């Protein structure tokens, strides 16, 4: 077990190194001159441009640049914004909590709504609750976040005034964005849990459980649900990525200060070090979440634990 | 005697998307305390529904009890609520199932699932329940019960799980144990152990047993009374002795005669009941068996016969009395083959199409025709004469010291690796025109060996010679060319046909690939092939789901013989089929062999069938061949203790010959860690120190047989 966990952690590290390198290569190959976004090339003297290039270190060979890049990463140096020379890592650190709160709240909405509705709809197949669950699933999957977001804003802040329309301070600002993003996740999870629950209910061991005289509640919640959650957990890992990506849109729609917003702004301003930093940071978060998901398998499914 | 269970005129139906399906029709039976009743029938007969109806488990599957009553010790189960039933289930009636691997919740330990049941029904503390569970596991023969309690279902073998399932069923001391095909998924050796255990426990716990099985051998061995079902109805019930001595229903007679026994000879046709079991949606009018019955009259077609009592027994046939008087209902198996209905048509068709096949091969693919067609015809005729004793035949396949190891631990390169030794040093040959049977428990490596023969997997070491050419050294395209001469028939008639292809494309694919046939030409050849396997050519545009298991297997066979191969590997080709259909397919395979001069490697765990179809039989154990001999010799005088144990484990379909408790103990060890010395020594009753130390080679013993044993029996 311990061996498997260390193995899994090692391979996660490898993924992080690989994705860091990939981010660098993409940035390196990107057309356009970073210098151009800092000064007006047409009016600057060639010496100034060459100087600036030398300062940025982009006149050196690729491998040297790569080594330099990794060296800096190891020291926690993600570079500086080309716009205002603000160091990237502290900038991310400052805004990450807001994004984390949003992602966590959305994930909670997805999982709670998704699992409960999914289970109920499988148990009460073809009953009203099943219909509701299927509608939620359909809406979650098919409605784009920006549209749902604007709709919720319109109803709950502008019409009813229950929640603030913008900002990232206090839990009240979190409700609408989390619902918006959470609905997407809930849509996926509802469908997943419903299907896997139905499949498990059809399994042979459920007949055994009933033949033992167990109550339906024990059969469903103690036994079937735990089996049905195994594929759903994978889904949750994938959704973590969706949630991160979703924050870009949501933070823009709800005017929240988070790293999603930062990267959106940085892309608009061609502030490459910031873009690079946020991508790197996000992939780090994604890898960690999926590592946790993988490890949680072992908790739910003893077969994973034993074979490890 | 007061009966424990009394089922009276029970009718059960299911609500489905296609409407209401009646699964049970007026089923009446009783079980006395301490009695073992076997419910026998083929798939679709309603035997499982009947067993689930007793527990009212059909309620959860859209099933509905339409009429009749089920009384357990005076309580009418049909009138109880689900919550009242729950206090009976697992307590007074317990059930064990066909697939022990699937019958436990995989995410809880065995101990948890046992304790859960005990606490549900008994006033015990958790500690008491645990102690009780451990003692039950010990009683059903599970070593180290305390340890097993902490294990998960995936960590135990099928045999061990079925024992655990029995312990679970016994945990609250039930009066009635329902066992639904409890040994079907297990090896014959383990089956014998489990059946023996069930009988011991029945006496010890004073239970009644309702055992559902398709295997008449099992019924003969353990039943007090046998109830035969067909298409949701009981057609006959009698004591085991009476039923086997003189069946009163043509279906029972047909079933008994379909069973290949150890006395049937190679080349004899097996008795086969024509046609196949009707689906519940399309039951025939009148007597449901009449379309398959050789004695059917207009009366049978018009009205369903009521069950009629004769002494202690009962049968539902209009003509039972007359048929019994005329001696038309035979119990014995096979030998008098001439009158088998359905077979004559088959063989006539096969004859015509065999000729067409030969011509087809000549006309269709000039690139593949072997040195002259004369060879093929000659082959066919030698096959017939050589069938009895092909000892002198030329070798088609020669396998030399073949090994197949699968790595199980990946680890870093350079580190020592562990292997599953699936096939570990096997040498033998297959002679042209013969059928070589290959038997052994699961895990013995039979299927792997088959795949190595066709080079579907690369060997780890050793040589596989086909007509003198080493297949292991051929390049991919040359191998593809050669492989045309070897085809395969698979076990699962459902999984081995692409559900989205129609029959024409399925059977025609090899013709298109190797002969470049298309359009009319291909269609014509496909029709010939379908005729050769006894199928109507009109089915060419239909899809696999429209056919029964037996018909699908025929489609698979048509595909296998499409290229006129020399060799066909049949891997458990009839194992998934019902007894009556199995006989049809076995007969077809034998006909085709004679007509086309085929050579077969017939892998199976059903020893009766192997005995019937094979010229020689090889017995495998843990990756090695332990004995290879002409099939009659092998069964009469097995030389290896393992062979004898396998044969002794077969439930004999004759209640007068009840076998002794299991001849072989324990289970097959893991091929990742085979025992030192003779691999069988851990289970062998005759093992000595020499066996533990020194591995015996496969050496000629006498005549045409070889055995790998230091102390051969024969």
């Amino acid at each position: 077990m311990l061996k498997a966990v260390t193995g899994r952690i090692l391979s996660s590290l490898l993924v992080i190194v690989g994705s860091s390198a990939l981010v660098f290569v993409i940035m390196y190959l990107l057309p356009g001159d970073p210098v151009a976004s800092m000064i007006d090339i047409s009016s600057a003297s060639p010496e100034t441009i060459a100087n600036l290039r030398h300062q940025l270190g982009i006149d050196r060979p690729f491998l040297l640049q790569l080594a330099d890049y990794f060296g800096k990463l190891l020291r926690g140096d993600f570079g500086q914004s080309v716009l205002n020379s603000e160091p990237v890592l502290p900038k991310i650190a400052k805004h990450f909590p807001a994004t984390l709160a949003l992602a966590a709240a959305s994930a909670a909405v997805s999982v709670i709504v998704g699992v409960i509705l999914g289970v109920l709809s499988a148990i009460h197949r073809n009953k009203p609750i099943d219909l509701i669950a299927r509608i939620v699933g359909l809406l979650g999957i098919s409605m784009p976040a920006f549209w749902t977001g604007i709709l919720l804003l319109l109803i709950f802040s502008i019409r009813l005034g229950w929640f603030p329309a913008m900002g990232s301070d206090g839990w009240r600002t979190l409700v609408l964005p989390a619902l918006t993003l959470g609905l997407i996740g809930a849509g996926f999870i509802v469908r997943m849990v419903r299907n896997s629950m139905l499949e498990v209910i059809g399994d042979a061991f459920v007949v055994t459980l009933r033949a033992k005289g167990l109550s339906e509640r024990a059969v469903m919640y103690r036994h079937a649900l735990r089996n049905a959650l195994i594929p759903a957990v994978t889904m949750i890992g994938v959704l973590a990525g969706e949630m991160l990506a979703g924050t870009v849109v949501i933070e823009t729609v709800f005017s929240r200060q988070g790293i999603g917003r930062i990267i959106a702004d940085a892309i608009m301003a061609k502030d490459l070090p910031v873009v690079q930093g946020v991508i790197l940071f996000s992939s780090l978060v994604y890898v960690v979440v999926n590592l946790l998901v993988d490890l949680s398998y072992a908790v739910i499914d003893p077969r994973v634990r034993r074979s490890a | 005697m007061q009966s424990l269970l009394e089922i009276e005129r029970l009718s059960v139906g299911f609500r489905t998307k296609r409407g209401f399906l009646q699964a049970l029709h007026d089923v009446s039976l009783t079980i006395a305390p301490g009695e073992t009743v076997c419910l026998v029938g083929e798939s679709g007969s309603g035997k499982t529904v009947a067993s689930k109806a007793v527990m009212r488990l059909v309620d959860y599957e859209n099933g509905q009890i339409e009429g009749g009553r089920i009384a357990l010790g005076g309580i009418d189960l049909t009138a109880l609520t689900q919550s009242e039933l729950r206090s009976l289930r697992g307590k007074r009636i317990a059930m064990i199932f066909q697939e022990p691997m699937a019958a436990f919740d995989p995410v809880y330990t065995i101990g948890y699932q046992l304790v859960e049941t005990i606490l549900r029904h008994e006033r015990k503390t958790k500690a008491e329940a645990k102690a009780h569970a451990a003692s039950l596991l010990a009683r059903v023969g599970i070593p180290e019960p305390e340890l097993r309690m902490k294990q998960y279902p995936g960590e135990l073998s099928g045999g061990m799980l079925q024992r655990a399932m029995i312990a679970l069923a016994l945990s609250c001391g039930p009066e009635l144990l329902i066992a639904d095909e409890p040994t079907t998924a297990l090896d014959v050796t383990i089956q014998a152990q489990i059946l023996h255990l069930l009988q011991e426990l029945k006496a010890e716990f004073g239970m009644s047993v309702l055992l559902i099985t398709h295997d008449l051998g099992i019924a003969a061995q353990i039943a007090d009374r046998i109830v035969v079902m067909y298409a949701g109805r009981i057609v006959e019930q009698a004591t085991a002795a009476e039923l086997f001595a003189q069946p009163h229903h043509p279906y029972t007679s047909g079933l008994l005669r379909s069973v290949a026994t150890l006395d049937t000879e190679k080349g004899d046709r097996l008795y086969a009941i024509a046609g196949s079991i009707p689906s519940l949606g399309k039951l025939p009018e009148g007597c449901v068996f009449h379309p398959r019955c050789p004695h059917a009259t207009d009366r049978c077609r018009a009205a369903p016969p009521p069950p009629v009592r004769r002494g202690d027994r009962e049968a539902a046939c209009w003509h039972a009395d007359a048929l019994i008087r005329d001696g038309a209902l035979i119990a014995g198996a096979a030998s008098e083959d001439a009158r088998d209905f359905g077979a004559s048509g088959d063989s006539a068709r096969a004859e015509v199409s065999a000729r067409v096949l030969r011509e087809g091969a000549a006309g269709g693919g000039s690139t593949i025709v072997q040195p002259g067609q004369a060879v093929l015809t000659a082959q066919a005729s030698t096959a017939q004469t050589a069938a009895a004793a092909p000892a002198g035949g030329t070798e088609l396949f020669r396998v030399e010291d073949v090994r197949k190891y699968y790595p199980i631990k990946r680890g870093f390169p350079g580190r020592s690796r562990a292997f599953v030794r699936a096939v570990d040093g096997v040498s033998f040959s297959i002679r042209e025109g013969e059928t070589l049977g290959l038997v052994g428990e699961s895990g013995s490596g039979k299927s792997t060996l088959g795949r190595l023969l066709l080079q579907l997997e690369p060997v780890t070491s050793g040589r596989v010679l086909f007509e003198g050419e080493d297949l292991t050294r051929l390049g991919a395209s040359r191998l593809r060319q050669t492989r045309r001469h070897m085809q395969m028939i698979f076990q699962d008639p459902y999984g081995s046909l692409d559900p989205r292809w129609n029959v024409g494309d399925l059977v025609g694919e090899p013709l298109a690939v190797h002969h470049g046939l298309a359009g009319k030409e291909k269609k014509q050849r496909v029709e010939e092939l379908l005729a050769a396997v006894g199928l109507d050519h009109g089915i060419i545009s239909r899809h696999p789901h429209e056919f029964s298991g037996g018909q699908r297997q025929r489609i698979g066979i048509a595909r296998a013989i499409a290229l006129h191969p020399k060799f066909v590997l049949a891997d458990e080709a009839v194992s998934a089929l019902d007894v009556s259909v199995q006989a049809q397919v076995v007969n077809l395979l034998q006909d085709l062999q004679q007509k086309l001069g085929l050579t077969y490697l017939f892998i199976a765990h059903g020893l009766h069938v192997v005995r019937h179809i094979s010229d020689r039989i090889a017995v495998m154990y843990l990756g090695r061949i332990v004995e290879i001999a002409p099939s009659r010799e092998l069964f009469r005088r097995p030389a290896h203790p393992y062979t004898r144990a396998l044969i002794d484990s077969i439930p004999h379909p004759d209640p007068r010959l009840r076998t002794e408790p299991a001849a072989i103990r324990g289970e097959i060890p893991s091929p990742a860690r085979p025992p030192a010395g003779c691999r069988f020594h851990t289970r062998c009753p005759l093992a000595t120190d020499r066996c533990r130390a020194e591995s015996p080679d496969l050496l000629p013993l006498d005549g045409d047989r070889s055995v790998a044993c230091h102390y051969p029996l024969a």
Side-chain angles (χ1 to χ4, degrees):
Chain A
M1 184 64 199
L2 190 70
K3 212 169 121 191
V5 172
T6 38
R8 195 65 195 76
I9 290 173
L10 281 178
S11 66
S12 296
L13 281 176
L14 214 64
V15 172
I16 290 171
V17 172
S19 54
S20 312
L22 193 67
V23 168
F24 178 79
V25 171
I26 290 171
M27 290 299 161
Y28 181 84
L29 294 176
L30 223 51
D33 191 343
V35 176
S37 66
M38 300 172 75
I39 54 170
D40 184 3
I41 293 188
S42 53
S43 63
S45 69
E47 290 83 50
T48 320
I49 295 176
N51 254 337
L52 208 49
R53 283 179 177 278
H54 189 70
Q55 268 179 30
L56 290 174
I58 53 176
D59 57 344
R60 289 180 298 162
F62 171 75
L63 284 179
L64 260 179
Q65 285 190 45
L66 183 66
D68 188 45
Y69 164 78
F70 271 115
K72 281 185 173 166
L73 283 190
L74 282 178
R75 291 194 300 272
D77 181 357
F78 276 43
Q80 293 149 12
S81 162
V82 290
L83 295 181
N84 52 14
S85 303
E86 192 187 350
V88 172
L89 193 60
K91 187 179 166 88
I92 292 174
K94 191 174 126 204
H95 294 293
F96 182 60
T99 303
L100 183 67
L102 174 58
S106 312
V109 170
S110 311
V111 171
I112 294 170
V113 174
V115 170
I116 292 179
L117 269 186
V119 169
L120 288 178
S121 80
I123 295 176
H124 305 283
R125 197 181 181 179
N126 298 330
K127 301 273 163 58
I129 183 82
D130 187 19
L131 190 68
I132 293 171
R134 281 149 76 177
I135 290 172
V136 169
L138 189 69
L139 291 182
I141 285 174
S142 47
M143 294 210 305
F146 69 87
W147 191 79
T148 322
I150 291 170
L151 202 69
L152 290 181
L153 268 181
L154 206 65
I155 299 173
F156 293 102
S157 1
I158 297 174
R159 278 282 161 76
L160 300 172
W162 291 357
F163 299 102
M166 51 191 352
S168 41
D169 301 318
W171 67 271
R172 286 163 60 85
T173 62
L174 205 56
V175 175
L176 293 184
L179 273 181
T180 310
L181 203 48
L183 182 65
I184 297 178
F188 281 98
I189 293 179
V190 150
R191 291 185 155 203
M192 187 79 184
V193 169
R194 179 176 186 271
N195 285 345
S196 78
M197 222 18 214
L198 284 176
E199 202 173 297
V200 172
I201 291 173
D203 276 351
F205 73 80
V206 171
V207 182
T208 313
L209 296 172
R210 286 176 173 148
K212 298 202 299 193
L214 292 190
S215 68
E216 276 303 286
R217 187 186 309 185
V219 172
M220 291 300 164
Y221 294 99
R222 200 185 301 158
H223 290 275
L225 178 58
R226 187 162 164 195
N227 279 277
L229 278 183
I230 294 165
V233 168
T234 319
M235 191 74 195
I236 291 166
V238 176
L239 276 176
E242 293 285 317
M243 296 283 150
L244 274 180
T247 56
V248 175
V249 174
I250 297 293
E251 289 178 352
T252 309
V253 170
F254 290 92
S255 317
R256 291 173 59 83
Q257 283 301 322
I259 59 167
R261 184 73 181 285
I262 293 177
I263 196 173
D265 292 345
I267 290 170
M268 294 300 177
K270 294 202 179 124
D271 192 349
L272 290 190
V274 176
V275 174
Q276 179 174 314
V278 175
I279 293 177
L280 207 54
F281 186 77
S282 309
S283 57
L284 198 77
V285 172
Y286 189 70
V287 168
V288 170
V289 168
N290 276 284
L291 177 65
L292 292 178
V293 165
D294 278 4
L295 296 182
S296 75
Y297 271 142
V299 179
I300 305 178
D301 190 351
R303 284 165 294 187
V304 173
R305 206 178 322 157
R306 292 297 174 97
S307 68
Chain B
M1 188 169 26
Q2 181 71 39
S3 32
L4 173 71
L5 184 76
E6 216 166 309
I7 300 178
E8 252 176 80
R9 304 193 56 121
L10 180 69
S11 294
V12 174
F14 288 89
R15 294 180 299 276
T16 69
K17 277 181 187 158
R18 273 167 289 166
F20 194 78
L21 284 182
Q22 184 93 20
L24 288 187
H25 249 285
D26 277 351
V27 165
S28 301
L29 65 91
T30 60
I31 302 175
E35 190 181 31
T36 301
V37 173
C38 277
L39 209 50
V40 174
E42 298 176 283
S43 49
S45 63
K47 52 193 196 304
T48 294
V49 175
S51 71
K52 284 187 175 170
V54 172
M55 290 269 241
R56 289 271 305 278
L57 289 170
V58 288
D59 295 25
Y60 294 104
E61 297 168 10
N62 291 322
Q64 202 174 311
I65 292 181
E66 294 274 274
R69 58 191 283 276
I70 306 165
L72 179 79
I75 310 169
D76 185 0
L77 300 182
T78 58
L80 298 186
T81 64
Q82 281 295 339
S83 87
E84 289 168 321
L85 284 164
R86 275 196 281 274
S87 59
L88 294 180
R89 288 186 195 132
K91 171 75 182 154
R92 297 187 62 188
I93 313 176
M95 195 159 177
I96 57 179
F97 302 91
Q98 176 167 359
E99 295 276 355
M101 300 293 203
F104 280 99
D105 183 341
V107 301
Y108 287 97
T109 59
I110 301 288
Y112 180 92
Q113 300 187 51
L114 275 162
V115 168
E116 181 184 39
T117 316
I118 297 169
L119 292 179
R120 167 73 183 82
H121 296 291
E122 313 264 333
R123 289 174 180 278
K124 281 189 171 149
T125 65
K126 213 166 176 183
E128 286 168 345
K130 270 187 181 165
H132 183 46
S135 73
L136 282 167
L137 288 178
R139 175 60 196 94
V140 297
I142 292 182
E144 301 175 274
E146 309 286 347
L147 183 73
R148 304 292 167 191
M149 296 265 288
K150 295 189 191 110
Q151 287 189 307
Y152 291 91
E155 297 170 307
L156 269 62
S157 69
M160 281 298 148
L161 282 176
Q162 197 59 297
R163 286 174 193 272
M165 185 49 76
I166 292 171
L168 182 76
L170 295 180
S171 61
C172 300
E175 295 152 65
L176 174 66
L177 178 68
I178 301 175
D180 186 357
E181 301 268 12
T183 58
T184 307
L186 306 174
D187 277 312
V188 64
T189 49
I190 309 300
Q191 164 171 292
Q193 295 172 3
I194 296 285
L195 290 177
H196 180 64
L197 176 68
L198 276 178
Q199 280 173 291
E200 269 180 22
L201 293 170
K202 186 190 97 163
E204 199 175 310
F205 285 71
M207 303 178 292
S208 305
V209 174
L210 177 63
L211 188 126
I212 289 136
T213 181
H214 69 282
D215 186 337
L216 287 160
I218 293 176
Q221 289 301 313
I222 76 167
D224 297 315
R225 270 186 319 119
I226 297 176
V227 177
V228 183
M229 289 191 72
Y230 185 79
R233 290 156 177 82
I234 291 178
V235 295
E236 177 166 7
Q237 46 182 315
T239 65
E242 285 170 344
L243 190 95
F244 278 85
Q246 172 63 68
H248 280 188
H249 194 283
Y251 177 62
T252 315
S253 164
L255 271 186
L256 291 175
R257 294 179 66 196
S258 304
V259 179
T261 69
L262 295 183
D263 314 320
T264 55
E265 284 302 320
K266 154 98 180 162
D268 283 352
R269 299 181 58 80
L270 284 180
Y271 181 90
I273 304 177
S276 56
I277 300 146
S279 72
L280 289 177
K282 288 182 277 197
L283 288 183
E285 295 280 303
C287 171
V288 283
F289 186 60
H290 86 253
R292 305 180 73 193
C293 182
H295 311 292
T297 62
D298 286 341
R299 191 179 184 192
C300 306
R301 283 179 272 273
V308 175
R309 287 199 82 79
R310 288 173 194 80
D312 278 344
R313 56 192 299 190
E314 209 176 87
C317 173
W318 289 120
H319 307 298
D321 287 323
L323 291 171
I324 297 162
R325 193 178 56 237
D326 299 344
L329 298 176
I330 301 159
S335 304
E336 60 291 88
D337 54 289
R339 280 183 297 126
D340 52 350
F341 38 99
S344 53
D346 269 2
S347 64
R349 265 197 300 262
E351 207 160 313
V352 174
S353 41
R355 201 187 63 233
V356 180
L357 274 175
R358 274 180 233 124
E359 287 158 6
S366 46
T367 47
I368 58 112
V369 175
Q370 293 307 304
Q373 287 304 301
V375 177
L376 291 172
T377 340
Q379 219 178 55
S381 60
T382 46
Q384 279 171 10
T385 47
T394 51
E395 285 175 353
L396 188 67
F397 262 109
R398 184 175 183 81
V399 174
E400 290 176 357
D401 199 26
V402 156
R403 282 162 216 271
K404 179 70 190 179
Y405 293 177
Y406 295 101
I408 42 174
K409 271 199 192 135
R410 276 172 292 139
F412 289 106
R415 286 240 304 260
S416 71
R417 290 157 58 148
F419 294 96
V420 167
R421 296 150 189 261
V423 174
D424 200 8
V426 163
S427 304
F428 66 100
S429 56
I430 303 176
R431 296 158 190 163
E432 212 163 298
E434 81 166 338
T435 300
L436 180 68
L438 186 58
V439 299
E441 291 164 286
S442 42
S444 61
K446 345 182 259 299
S447 287
T448 306
L449 182 58
R451 289 198 300 272
L452 292 178
L453 227 56
L454 266 60
Q455 282 295 296
L456 296 174
E457 290 185 50
V459 297
T460 304
S461 71
R463 303 206 300 161
V464 178
L465 302 167
F466 177 73
E467 296 190 311
E469 188 173 31
D470 186 358
L471 298 181
T472 63
R473 290 167 173 276
L474 292 185
S477 71
R478 184 81 188 87
L479 183 62
R480 234 160 61 90
Q481 289 288 313
T482 314
R483 216 184 255 148
R484 202 176 49 220
H485 303 299
M486 331 163 185
Q487 295 294 324
M488 191 162 176
I489 304 169
F490 300 89
Q491 169 169 17
D492 178 4
Y494 295 85
S496 57
L497 299 176
D498 186 332
R500 282 169 195 84
W501 283 36
N502 68 33
V503 173
D505 290 334
L506 286 167
V507 176
E509 189 184 23
L511 297 169
V513 169
H514 285 284
H515 295 190
L517 293 190
K520 230 177 177 176
E521 221 179 350
K522 184 173 113 181
K523 182 163 179 259
Q524 194 193 336
R525 286 280 292 131
V526 170
E527 285 176 358
E528 290 159 12
L529 287 163
L530 290 177
V533 296
L535 291 173
D536 190 74
H537 60 75
I539 65 169
I540 208 157
S541 58
R542 286 163 63 185
H543 289 82
H545 71 267
E546 299 174 67
F547 299 97
S548 69
Q551 286 170 320
R552 287 177 206 222
Q553 208 56 321
R554 284 174 193 262
I555 294 169
I557 293 171
R559 178 172 62 181
I561 61 171
L563 295 172
H564 200 290
K566 294 177 182 166
F567 173 77
V568 173
L569 168 64
D571 189 354
E572 302 276 9
V574 297
S575 312
L577 304 176
D578 279 308
V579 186
S580 66
V581 180
Q582 208 172 51
Q584 294 172 5
V585 174
V586 167
N587 286 342
L588 173 64
L589 287 173
Q590 288 194 324
D591 286 344
L592 290 172
Q593 177 169 44
Q594 292 211 345
K595 307 277 155 41
L596 305 174
L598 292 171
T599 304
Y600 288 136
L601 178 64
F602 194 88
I603 301 176
H605 65 267
L607 277 96
H608 285 298
V609 178
V610 178
R611 157 81 173 84
H612 176 77
I613 201 171
S614 306
D615 298 299
R616 292 188 305 147
I617 294 175
V619 182
M620 260 188 111
Y621 187 76
L622 270 185
R624 297 216 169 132
I625 288 182
V626 297
E627 181 167 3
I628 183 164
S631 85
R632 185 204 294 233
E633 287 292 293
L634 187 99
F635 274 80
R636 286 211 182 132
R637 297 185 299 126
H640 197 284
Y642 180 59
T643 313
R644 184 155 87 184
L646 279 183
I647 294 169
D648 287 350
S649 301
I650 306 170
H652 204 69
D654 186 342
R656 290 166 303 181
L657 301 173
R658 295 211 166 166
T659 47
E660 290 301 300
I664 181 168
R665 295 182 174 283
E667 302 189 355
I668 190 165
S670 159
R673 293 177 302 278
C678 172
R679 293 187 172 183
F680 186 59
H681 83 250
T682 52
R683 300 168 79 190
C684 184
L686 309 170
T688 65
D689 286 340
R690 186 179 171 205
C691 303
R692 282 180 270 277
E694 192 185 324
S695 175
D697 291 325
L698 184 66
L699 298 171
L701 183 67
D702 55 41
D704 195 20
R705 80 157 79 194
S706 301
V707 64
C709 179
H710 295 304
Y711 310 101
L713 301 168

